[in-house]
Amino acid sequence: MKSLLCLALLSTAAFAVDYPRVIFSDDFSADGFGKAWGHYKSASVVKGGVLVGITAPESDHNAVDVIRIAPETDLEVSVKFQLVSDQAKGFNIWLDDKDYKGSHAGHICSITVNPKAVVVADAKTGTFSNDIYTRKKAVPPTLTAEDKANMQKWTKSTPTTVSFKEWHTLTVRTHGDVVETSIDGKVVNTFQSPGVAHDHKTVVSITTNKVDVIYDDFSIKGVAK
């Protein structure tokens, strides 16, 4: 009980800060993606004032739409989203560092939203750290009991309900080693883990888990310098 109270107090203190500095924003009112966007195995399109997340049927990887930024430690990422049918499996916001070599693809932290839960993972320390990722992808996998325990330790899943065919707003805030996830202004998940404190976050991306997720009003903000 004491540790839970300490984490609650930490979260309150950590997020008594503002993120006034707009690093990037897009309301998708233009025709097509702007030049700032990059893509990885994505068939996503911008049309009708929204980003339509699409993974091509033949793709071996979910669609990733990417914004690269100058190095930042603490960020606020916000996006409106809608799960437009029950075919929508959800999406991820990834905070990464393209120059970091200690994890697969420079993955630092992921926030997954699906119809039933919000899952936050310290990818740098856990599942995507090079040693664990290599053993996970071996044929057959060679994960140790310690690996499996660490993968659970550096992940926090919080049950929630995200309704279909309605707009919601996701807000992700990092401060030090804490990441706070809110949906429609209500804090859903607060997670503390060492990898979150990585001080060179240079990539923010949206990964659409297959199809039927649309997005609007995407923004990346930083703390005052």
Side-chain angles (χ1 to χ4, degrees), residues 95-189:
L95 307 178
D96 298 325
D97 180 357
K98 67 181 180 66
D99 297 319
Y100 180 64
K101 305 304 181 184
S103 66
H104 174 70
H107 287 322
I108 302 301
C109 178
S110 71
I111 300 88
T112 303
V113 178
N114 65 51
K116 296 183 178 180
V118 169
V119 183
V120 181
D122 177 346
K124 177 183 177 179
T125 308
T127 305
F128 285 90
S129 63
N130 283 340
D131 51 352
I132 292 178
Y133 185 79
T134 299
R135 290 191 286 272
K136 181 181 178 182
K137 289 298 182 179
V139 181
T142 57
L143 289 170
T144 66
E146 183 179 5
D147 289 336
K148 294 177 181 178
N150 281 336
M151 289 167 65
Q152 291 184 340
K153 179 180 180 181
W154 305 124
T155 302
K156 181 179 178 181
S157 179
T158 304
T160 191
T161 299
V162 178
S163 57
F164 292 95
K165 299 182 181 180
E166 294 183 342
W167 283 105
H168 303 278
T169 299
L170 172 72
T171 304
V172 174
R173 290 178 167 181
T174 71
H175 192 276
D177 62 355
V178 178
V179 55
E180 176 188 87
T181 304
S182 300
I183 295 179
D184 298 333
K186 179 182 178 180
V187 176
V188 176
N189 184 307

Side-chain angles (χ1 to χ4, degrees), residues 9-38:
L9 291 173
L10 173 61
S11 177
T12 301
F15 292 97
V17 296
D18 293 321
Y19 299 78
R21 189 164 45 88
V22 177
I23 298 169
F24 176 82
S25 66
D26 196 340
D27 64 3
F28 305 113
S29 59
D31 183 18
F33 280 99
K35 292 182 179 180
W37 286 96

Side-chain angles (χ1 to χ4, degrees), residues 199-212:
D199 63 355
H200 272 60
K201 299 177 180 76
T202 62
V203 176
V204 179
S205 61
I206 301 172
T207 298
T208 302
N209 299 326
K210 300 303 180 185
V211 294
D212 283 0

